Structures are given as structure tokens and as C-alpha cells.
Amino acid sequence: MKRILVTGGAGFIGSNFLNYILKTYDDIFVVNYDKLTYAGNLENLREIEAKKNYVFIKGDIVDHEQVSNTLKKYEINNIINFAAESHVDRSIHSSYSFYETNVLGTNVLLNAAREIDLEKFLQVSTDEVYGSLSTEGLFTETTALNPKNPYAASKAGADLMALAFCNTYKMPIVVTRCSNNYGPYQFPEKLIPLMVINAISNKELPVYGDGLNIRDWIYVIDHNKAIMKVLEDGKSGEVYNVGAKSEKPNIEIVKLILDYLEKPYSLIKYVNDRPGHDRRYAIDSAKLMADLNWEPEYSFDRAIQDTIKWYLDNKNWWERILSGDYQNYYKLQYQTN
Ligand code: NAD
Ligand code: TDX
């Protein structure tokens, strides 16, 4: 039986992952190990928190002793590392916590994993490690790493450490690199929830630069199904790109949100560009599709509507987040614009 340590399971992708696997598989046991930073929220897990095969532990992945004790106490044989500082703009304000959690934390997990009977270690990574594309081409698994912001650099460092442990200690380790996710429970610092919430609240929608930067969008459940496939069948030492061939310029998404909510385009405010802003991401997931028989199931047009509707229907969830620290972050990020 898989006994999985999921780190960062109270965040956006991790909580969707736990909700998905604990409703889909009976023959697993899961420990959610999360520090509960500003981005971690146990409310995301209400539907599964009482399950007998689920345990929550508040802990930091940088803490070797606590990680090691948790792995042994629960006889963990699989690890999926979602835990990270994940927001590019925050990494531009200060990169220390990104280095600590993303690089050092992954290194701690890898070392602690050497002490157990490990079936698989899956490092959840991002297409941002490849840098930025111009108008042509796609990122493949062999594209050279060229991270362009502190967040991306910290994720690239973690990937390389994971692959080095695989090579050096012959550990069963795989890396996934996914494109931009959207869906329920995403913290409203990221483009889609921020724009939806501001539009609902009749606040300005701050679009960086000319609004023509391109991101390649995937619904979070498609990403999570890919992670499960790679955990089960991914080949040790391999990297798998995950994407749904859904490239959109940012401004198109912002207008789509305003159209859906029947709000005027006059809410759009073009603001100063993000420093070093990557122009375009586009990911080729042909390897994952061919080798592990994975395919995205959700169309962008349908899933983005479901996502906007989720934020409309779950005001309580985001209103609680908008108080306190979030206001301070918002001022810091947008006051000069
Ligand atoms: P998130 O910021 O929503 O959640 C991160 C979670 O990690 C939170 O619950 C937080 O409390 C926890 N955490 C942070 N530091 C920790 C620490 N030191 N110890 C233990 N827990 C800690 O992030 P997300 O968007 O859900 O991203 C999850 C993973 O997926 C990250 O590794 C990210 O790099 C990767 N990823 C994200 C996207 C995306 O579009 N959001 C795309 C590709 C890859
Ligand atoms: O207020 C905004 N205005 C704006 O124009 C915000 C928050 C974003 N943007 C732009 C910047 C990007 O071009 O929207 C695009 C998406 O921005 P984010 O949601 O911050 O995502 P991105 O920087 O692309 O990174 C995301 O995808 C890769 C995740 O945050 C990462 O964790 C993941 O690894």
C-alpha cells in the first residue's frame, strides 16, 4: 500500500490533490505535512479531514528531525513535494524564504528520504525553470534550464538536487514540470483569482506591462492526475513536462473574466511591468502523453468558467484571506503602480 507524505498539502495544488486522491483511492494512507504559511489553509481540506487514512502534521520541510520522525512514525514509502514559496512577485521583494523552503527544504526531504524504504520521491516543479520563450517553440524536457527570477532559480536548484540524489544514491526520484494552474482554492495573489476577486469587488484589475505576456494554462485536476500517473509509473531519473496546450495572453484572460462577470473593461489598469517578466511559456507534454498515457481532460473554455463561478460561490473563503496580511502584501506590490 502507498503511504504517502504530501508536503504543502494545505496550499492550492496540494489541497486539490488531496481532495482528489482521498476521494478516488481507498488503498492509500496520506500524511499532509505543511507549515501553514500565509498560503496554507486547512479550510481547503474540510471534505477529507475526517478520513481515517489521512493525517495532518504542522511542520516545516527545513526541519530535518521533524521530517525524519514523521517519515518513520507513519512508515512512509512515497513522498510528493508540493511545499514551496510559489509567488514570483514575492520572490522579487525578498528571495530568502524561497531559497530556504524551495532549495534547502527539498534538500532536507531528499536526505531524510535516504533513511526510509523509498518507492518514489516526486518533486513537483514548474515550467519556469526553462526561462522564457519568444513567439516560437515549446519547452521540452531537454530544453536547457535558464531560470529568470528568484522563484524560478530556487525551483531549478531543487530540481537539480533531486536529480543529483537520484544519480548519486540511486534513489527512485522523478520530477514534474507543469505550466500555470488554475482552479478552486488558489491564493488571490495569482493572476486569475486576483482578477476575479477584484472584478467582483469593482476594484481595478492591475495588468503588468502591455498585457501580452503569454502563459500556458492547465486546470489543477489535470495536473494532479498527471502527478498520480508519474508517481505510479514514472521512470526513475526522468523529468515529465505537464501542460494542456492552452496558451493565452494575460489581457485575453482578464477580458474573459470581465465578460463573464458582466463588468466593464474600464476596470483594467495597465501598471508597471514585473521586473524581468518572462514573456512566454508554452509546454510540450508529448513525453508524458506517449510514455504514461496521460491526457488533459478539461477544456480551458469550460474549466475557466467553473473556476470563476467557484470564486463567486465561495466568497467566505476569499473574504477571510483578504483581511490582514493580504492587505499589506497588496499595498507593497501595487502601491507604486
Ligand atoms: P501555494 O503557495 O498555494 O502552496 C504552498 C504550500 O506549501 C502552502 O500550503 C504552504 O503552507 C506550504 N509550505 C510553504 N513553505 C513550507 C515549508 N517550509 N514547509 C512545509 N510547508 C510549506 O503553492 P501552489 O501554487 O499550490 O504550488 C504547489 C507546488 O507546485 C509548488 O512547488 C510550485 O512551485 C509548483 N507549481 C505551481 C504552479 C502554479 O501554477 N501554481 C505551476 C507549476 C508548479
Ligand atoms: O497582478 C497581476 N498582474 C499581471 O499582469 C499578476 C499577479 C500577474 N500578472 C501577470 C504576470 C504573468 O505574466 O499574469 C501572469 C501570471 O502571473 P502569476 O499568476 O503570478 O503566475 P506566474 O508568474 O506565471 O507563475 C505561476 O506559474 C508557474 C505560478 O505562480 C508559479 O508558482 C508556477 O510555478
Side-chain angles (χ1 to χ4, degrees), residues 3 7 16 18 23 27 75 107 109 127 157 195 220 231 263 266 294 321 327:
R3 300 182 64 85
T7 69
N16 277 287
L18 290 175
K23 288 175 195 167
D27 55 338
E75 298 174 1
N107 194 34
L109 284 174
D127 59 0
M195 297 297 170
V220 64
L231 186 77
K263 300 282 183 170
S266 56
W294 170 88
I321 291 169
Q327 302 298 345

Side-chain angles (χ1 to χ4, degrees), residues 184-201:
Y185 302 119
Q186 188 167 30
F187 194 83
E189 63 194 352
K190 307 282 172 26
L191 178 77
I192 289 178
L194 186 140
M195 297 297 170
V196 172
I197 287 169
N198 282 15
I200 294 172
S201 317

